[in-house]
Amino acid sequence: MTTQEASLYHLRRRLLRLIAPWSILLLALSFFLYDYQLNNDLSPVQDTASRSLSSAYETMTRNFGDLATDIRFLAHNKALRNATPENKQGAETLLQDFSEASGVYDQVRWLGPDGREIVRIEMFGAQAIRIPEEQLQEKSHRYYFTSGMALKPEEIYFSPLDLNVEQGAIQIPHNPALRVVTTVLTPEGEHNGLVVLNYKANLMLQALRNMHLPASVRLYLLNANGYWLLSDISKDEWGFMFKRSELRFGVRHPEGWDRINSTSYGSFTDDQGLWLFTTFSPTSNLSREDQYWKLVVNVDAAAITAIQRKALIATLGVIFLLFVILLFVSIRIARTDAVRDTLNAQLSARSDELERSNALLQESLDKLMHTQDELVRAEKLASLGMMVAGVAHELNTPIGASLVTLSSLQRQAEELRDAFARGLRRSDMNDFFARFEQGSAIILSNLNRSAQLVHSFKQLATDRAGAERRVFSLKSLIDDMLLTTWLRIHKKEHQLVTDIDPGLELDSYPGALSQVLENLVNNAMKHAFQDMPQGRVWLSAQRRTEQVAEIEVRDNGAGIPPEILPKVFDPFFTTKRNQGGTGLGLHLTHQLVTNVLGGTINISSAIGHGCVVKIELPLHAPATEKPDEEKKEEEKEADFGSRDASITY
């Protein structure tokens, strides 16, 4: 497998790990969103169906609301209670006037206890007609008469809603009727037959048909046995009147009928759509067998399917969008993780490489620092050795002169002894004493000169080796330093001019300062006048402020090239390496000025116009706390230097 294939393989695995759990979550979310969207879209349809059902219920309530009141009014009227088959004029007038006034009853009848019609009023259009005696019928065989005779006083019987039957046949055209029956009692409380109202149920059914329903909503009215009393298909209505048991709601929708018949109201959804239903009864505990009907509203399955399809499409759209976003984010995260892993691997490799490089660099730095320390130590020892050589050379002159003088005095003493043997004259004694005094003066002068050189050398060496802080005169320090430094350079044809403030005193480190000044003077003498037979160096020191002294070393030599000038204080930078230069002189000078003496050092130069080094030092150097090991090392060096440089006299 190539590197690219391996990278793609790991990217796919990472992407799969990111997408898988979120995909499961999106799947669960899709069911929730679909259910929410479907309920949200179905809500208006359910509201419409619910309003339709409520309107139908209110319509039936308005149409059936006065039936019980009307029949009680008639049963309690004196004209009917006092009437007899022989004296029924008052009852006829009452029933005729009532029928014309109400206008909602096809027939208003008074039946005798034997079932024969005593009074019968029928509506023909807007006119109530009294049926002649010969056309009255015997109704003892009809169910509503039997049920009416079983009523207790004040009870009302509502018959099933069916088609009116005349002379044993269903009336054509169909005339839906609802019969309301109650007993009539004489003032003495005896049974005086039944009053029967045939309600024009077609008024109520037509009102239901005239309701403004959406095209997808259908309204049904079912009796207690599930037969259609009102349907969008007219041939399905009144099946029980024609002995057609197949024309029942329960036959076509058995599960739906079980739900509708098992409770008073509710709703459900099946493959036929959305169903809402409620139960309507014209009475409440007014008879032994209350009649009731089922009002059912159906929302067409096609409308429900369309809503479900819409909800599904909306849900799929949202889920698809979320999946696209998830895929995009997952790809970005997977790529970012892959890049991060790659970068981490590279960083780890680089870190390991850097650790190895740092270890090598640290080792090299340790070696370099050790080498630098050795070179600095060598530089110090070389400087001290040159100082010793210079002092030894300078001491050789007065000591040599003293030896010559002593030799001369020794010869003169021998000559004086010989003169004693021959006979000493006064003139010889005077001559000897004169030459002895002259020689003694020469010897004393040379010994004093030697003692002064030894004292200066001892003080300078002690200061440099011990790094002791004390109060000292800057002029005295420079004079002592020049006693040794100038010994090495006065043979050349160069001049050293000093201008030192005699009252300038410092509380600082004289050894470090003398080392700095000696390095600067030696550096000028060594580098500034290579092509000049005679040169001049000026060493000046003045008080700049109350707290700062300024020392300047200036020459009129060849100057320093601009490309070299920024590097002169760098360690190991030298232009005289082939002549034994180490490149540590000016670096050591810079370190001593800034780290020990607490000052600043700057150098400026121009080709052909010499070089100027300016040092600014505080009159009171900052305190320095050196490590114990460094102190011990310096004490060893000071002790070594003192033993080498000191002369006992």
Side-chain angles (χ1 to χ4, degrees):
M1 182 182 293
T2 64
T3 303
Q4 184 176 6
E5 290 175 344
S7 177
L8 289 175
Y9 172 73
H10 290 297
L11 181 62
R12 292 193 197 99
R13 288 192 60 186
R14 185 178 288 109
L15 186 61
L16 182 60
R17 287 197 301 269
L18 287 172
I19 290 180
W22 287 102
S23 298
I24 296 174
L25 181 62
L26 282 180
L27 182 61
L29 180 62
S30 64
F31 291 103
F32 171 77
L33 286 178
Y34 174 74
D35 186 64
Y36 173 80
Q37 186 66 35
L38 180 60
N39 290 334
N40 192 53
D41 292 343
L42 279 176
S43 181
V45 177
Q46 290 175 331
D47 291 344
T48 300
S50 180
R51 287 194 299 269
S52 300
L53 186 63
S54 297
S55 297
Y57 191 91
E58 291 174 0
T59 298
M60 293 186 68
T61 300
R62 286 194 304 270
N63 282 271
F64 288 153
D66 296 332
L67 298 183
T69 302
D70 289 347
I71 201 168
R72 282 199 180 98
F73 168 76
L74 295 176
H76 293 167
N77 196 281
K78 293 180 179 180
L80 189 58
R81 295 181 65 187
N82 293 327
T84 62
E86 295 78 15
N87 184 18
K88 57 181 180 180
Q89 290 81 7
E92 289 175 342
T93 302
L94 172 66
L95 297 182
Q96 186 173 10
D97 292 342
F98 172 79
S99 182
E100 288 180 352
S102 63
V104 295
Y105 300 104
D106 280 331
Q107 297 178 2
V108 178
R109 292 175 289 172
W110 175 29
L111 303 181
D114 57 356
R116 288 190 60 81
E117 295 176 343
I118 301 173
V119 178
R120 176 177 175 181
I121 306 298
E122 291 189 10
M123 290 293 297
F124 292 94
Q127 186 177 6
I129 304 299
R130 187 183 305 167
I131 302 301
E133 185 76 25
E134 63 275 8
Q135 295 182 9
L136 296 178
Q137 301 177 19
E138 196 271 328
K139 298 293 185 180
S140 60
H141 60 284
R142 298 300 303 272
Y143 66 90
Y144 56 85
F145 176 79
T146 304
S147 298
M149 291 301 294
L151 292 174
K152 295 179 180 180
E154 299 299 327
E155 286 188 340
I156 300 175
Y157 170 72
F158 288 84
S159 73
L161 183 59
D162 57 13
L163 299 178
N164 191 42
V165 176
E166 293 293 342
Q167 304 297 331
I170 297 174
Q171 189 177 359
I172 301 296
H174 294 166
N175 184 19
L178 174 68
R179 297 160 188 86
V180 185
V181 181
T182 190
T183 60
V184 179
L185 300 178
T186 65
E188 291 78 17
E190 297 179 358
H191 202 291
N192 197 23
L194 302 174
V195 62
V196 180
L197 302 180
N198 281 26
Y199 172 70
K200 296 180 180 180
N202 198 44
L203 296 176
M204 180 270 296
L205 296 175
Q206 191 61 41
L208 295 177
R209 289 190 179 95
N210 292 338
M211 289 178 56
H212 298 287
L213 301 177
S216 60
V217 177
R218 291 185 292 272
L219 176 65
Y220 302 126
L221 181 63
L222 308 176
N223 67 10
N225 295 319
Y227 285 96
W228 273 283
L229 305 180
L230 177 68
S231 174
D232 58 329
I233 303 175
S234 59
K235 65 180 181 179
D236 290 342
E237 298 173 346
W238 315 108
F240 65 95
M241 297 296 297
F242 303 100
K243 310 299 183 186
R244 297 184 61 183
S245 59
E246 75 278 7
L247 297 179
R248 285 182 300 150
F249 186 89
V251 173
R252 296 184 185 176
H253 310 288
E255 294 182 1
W257 175 246
D258 290 341
R259 293 186 179 184
I260 292 173
N261 197 40
S262 62
T263 184
S264 298
Y265 59 90
S267 64
F268 61 91
T269 304
D270 60 11
D271 55 358
Q272 300 297 318
L274 173 66
W275 299 88
L276 286 81
F277 63 91
T278 188
T279 303
F280 179 84
S281 176
T283 63
S284 176
N285 299 323
L286 297 179
S287 69
R288 294 169 297 178
E289 297 179 1
D290 289 345
Q291 294 296 321
Y292 66 88
W293 300 275
K294 296 288 185 178
L295 273 169
V296 181
V297 171
N298 171 242
V299 180
D300 187 70
I304 301 300
T305 301
I307 292 174
Q308 292 173 338
R309 186 181 299 110
K310 178 183 176 183
L312 180 61
I313 292 174
T315 301
L316 291 178
V318 172
I319 295 300
F320 178 76
L321 179 61
L322 292 176
F323 184 80
V324 170
I325 295 174
L326 171 63
L327 183 62
F328 175 75
V329 173
S330 299
I331 291 175
R332 291 292 300 272
I333 294 175
R335 288 180 175 176
T336 302
D337 290 346
V339 172
R340 183 193 61 196
D341 293 344
T342 302
L343 292 178
N344 286 339
Q346 294 176 354
L347 182 60
S348 178
R350 291 295 301 275
S351 298
D352 295 340
E353 183 179 352
L354 285 176
E355 288 180 0
R356 291 192 296 270
S357 300
N358 286 338
L360 294 175
L361 287 175
Q362 186 63 41
E363 183 179 355
S364 300
L365 181 60
D366 293 341
K367 292 180 180 178
L368 184 62
M369 294 298 294
H370 179 72
T371 302
Q372 181 177 352
D373 292 341
E374 293 297 326
L375 288 174
V376 169
R377 187 187 301 275
E379 183 76 14
K380 290 182 178 180
L381 292 176
S383 176
L384 187 61
M386 292 176 66
M387 186 187 302
V388 171
V391 171
H393 177 77
E394 190 66 19
L395 285 175
N396 188 54
T397 299
I399 292 174
S402 298
L403 289 175
V404 171
T405 303
L406 285 175
S407 298
S408 177
L409 290 176
Q410 187 177 9
R411 286 194 304 270
Q412 290 178 8
E414 290 177 355
E415 290 176 356
L416 182 61
R417 188 173 54 249
D418 293 340
F420 269 114
R422 292 192 308 268
L424 184 62
R425 292 177 298 179
R426 186 175 180 83
S427 59
D428 293 332
M429 288 293 296
N430 291 335
D431 184 52
F432 173 78
F433 285 131
R435 285 184 291 176
F436 183 81
E437 289 177 357
Q438 185 180 10
S440 297
I442 293 173
I443 292 172
L444 181 61
S445 175
N446 283 304
L447 288 178
N448 286 332
R449 171 65 175 168
S450 298
Q452 184 181 4
L453 287 173
V454 170
H455 176 75
S456 299
F457 171 74
K458 181 180 179 181
Q459 182 64 47
L460 185 63
T462 302
D463 287 342
R464 292 187 182 180
E468 178 184 358
R469 177 175 181 157
R470 62 183 176 85
V471 178
F472 60 92
S473 170
L474 182 60
K475 180 173 176 56
S476 298
L477 178 73
I478 293 177
D479 289 343
D480 289 342
M481 184 270 295
L482 292 179
L483 282 175
T484 59
T485 301
W486 191 247
L487 295 176
R488 300 195 301 273
I489 63 176
H490 77 283
K491 294 181 179 180
K492 299 182 180 179
E493 301 298 329
H494 306 311
Q495 296 181 4
L496 177 62
V497 181
T498 61
D499 181 15
I500 312 299
D501 183 359
L504 187 59
E505 290 188 349
L506 282 76
D507 180 7
S508 188
Y509 301 91
L513 182 55
S514 65
Q515 180 73 49
V516 168
L517 297 177
E518 181 179 346
N519 285 350
L520 293 176
V521 172
N522 284 338
N523 193 72
M525 292 295 181
K526 184 177 181 181
H527 297 284
F529 313 119
Q530 294 183 2
D531 299 328
M532 297 177 61
Q534 291 184 346
R536 180 174 293 181
V537 178
W538 291 269
L539 175 59
S540 62
Q542 305 295 331
R543 185 189 301 269
R544 182 177 178 186
T545 66
E546 291 296 327
Q547 300 296 330
V548 177
E550 183 179 79
I551 302 175
E552 181 178 281
V553 180
R554 179 167 54 88
D555 65 72
N556 63 347
I560 302 175
E563 65 274 11
I564 296 178
L565 187 62
K567 305 177 183 179
V568 294
F569 292 126
D570 292 347
F572 306 108
F573 177 78
T574 179
T575 58
K576 302 294 183 179
R577 196 172 301 279
N578 56 347
Q579 299 178 15
T582 63
L584 289 175
L586 288 181
H587 174 66
L588 180 61
T589 298
H590 184 273
Q591 294 295 100
L592 290 174
V593 170
T594 56
N595 295 341
V596 178
L597 301 176
T600 61
I601 180 171
N602 294 289
I603 186 168
S604 61
S605 179
I607 298 297
H609 297 280
C611 180
V612 179
V613 179
K614 288 187 178 181
I615 301 175
E616 291 185 357
L617 296 177
L619 297 182
H620 298 275
T624 58
E625 187 65 28
K626 298 185 179 181
D628 294 339
E629 294 183 0
E630 185 176 349
K631 289 182 178 179
K632 293 179 181 179
E633 187 66 24
E634 290 189 353
E635 289 175 359
K636 291 181 180 179
E637 292 182 2
D639 183 60
F640 174 77
S642 298
R643 289 197 302 271
D644 286 350
S646 60
I647 300 176
T648 303
Y649 58 93

